[in-house]
Amino acid sequence: MTHFVGKYEVEFKYRLQSKADFLNRLKQLPIEIRLEDNAEYDCYFDLADHELKQQGKSVCIREMQPSGIKLWIVKGPEADRCEAVDINDAERAKSMLQNMGYQLVLELRKTRSIYFIGEFHVTVDNLAGIGDFAELAIMTDNESALARYKAELLELAAELGLTPEMQEHQSYRQLQQALQANAH
């Protein structure tokens, strides 16, 4: 089964009260472990006038260790729009973006574990100073399946003990920027 492929992403994010309790429930399901406790380093880029942010778009270069995965990720402008491609040289990709006039606007570090449950992927993240989160998602090229996937992911969330009250509607980028703004 192919994961992380497609131009659409259905995703629900939840703030975890207890990461250990969530992992215990998750591991009672038939899961495939993709990776555990990888350090992720995300560099977000935008134009000087923040044009991408204003258009509801984001450009990110992600580096993951120890897995060695490097990605170029573009999200938006639609909420379900997300495309990612493997890259070999993250430093060169960042240099190319800066050469085209993009500026580094945010650096985000997190610890991430990724699990597969059938066609869905579940990520468990920790962001220092912000907390623990679970994301339930699928990527697809099939736009007509988005509503069905949303319903199936909400069913999976309920099975994992995740409630609508736990849902986090802000992106990690927004949460990190709010944390930085409050620190100043």
Side-chain angles (χ1 to χ4, degrees):
M1 182 165 299
T2 305
H3 289 272
F4 305 111
V5 175
K7 63 182 177 183
Y8 300 103
E9 179 181 48
V10 179
E11 177 184 88
F12 293 99
K13 181 185 317 168
Y14 297 87
R15 188 177 284 270
L16 298 176
Q17 313 305 313
S18 168
K19 181 178 174 180
D21 288 350
F22 177 78
L23 287 172
N24 285 337
R25 286 186 87 141
L26 177 67
K27 291 182 177 182
Q28 291 175 21
L29 297 177
I31 62 169
E32 175 187 337
I33 299 171
R34 170 67 168 100
L35 54 86
E36 290 188 300
D37 298 323
N38 256 239
E40 286 194 5
Y41 174 51
D42 292 349
C43 291
Y44 288 88
F45 291 85
D46 204 336
L47 297 167
D49 61 0
H50 301 285
E51 184 178 336
L52 292 179
K53 184 177 179 182
Q54 292 168 17
Q55 294 176 11
K57 298 176 183 176
S58 72
V59 172
C60 172
I61 302 296
R62 173 173 295 159
E63 298 174 75
M64 302 166 64
Q65 294 299 332
S67 68
I69 297 169
K70 297 174 189 77
L71 299 169
W72 181 309
I73 303 166
V74 177
K75 290 191 175 193
E78 302 89 7
D80 294 330
R81 187 71 189 251
C82 176
E83 295 184 80
V85 65
D86 289 311
I87 57 174
N88 293 322
D89 189 335
E91 292 308 312
R92 179 164 289 165
K94 290 184 236 180
S95 175
M96 291 166 61
L97 283 166
Q98 290 171 327
N99 188 43
M100 293 186 310
Y102 290 86
Q103 300 175 352
L104 179 63
V105 294
L106 179 71
E107 295 174 281
L108 180 67
R109 295 181 188 276
K110 63 184 170 284
T111 302
R112 171 169 279 183
S113 299
I114 301 174
Y115 307 92
F116 298 148
I117 300 176
E119 60 191 332
F120 301 118
H121 52 271
V122 176
T123 59
V124 179
D125 299 326
N126 175 269
L127 283 75
I130 297 175
D132 294 315
F133 299 87
E135 292 180 342
L136 283 60
I138 186 169
M139 293 186 73
T140 182
D141 284 317
N142 185 355
E143 189 174 11
S144 66
L146 297 179
R148 176 175 56 87
Y149 287 143
K150 286 177 184 178
E152 290 175 2
L153 283 168
L154 289 172
E155 285 177 27
L156 177 59
E159 188 176 350
L160 290 168
L162 302 172
T163 65
E165 299 77 36
M166 297 167 68
Q167 201 165 352
E168 176 59 63
H169 298 284
Q170 294 185 79
S171 68
Y172 290 148
R173 180 179 177 176
Q174 291 167 322
L175 292 168
Q176 182 69 36
Q177 288 172 325
L179 180 69
Q180 290 174 341
N182 290 335
H184 291 107

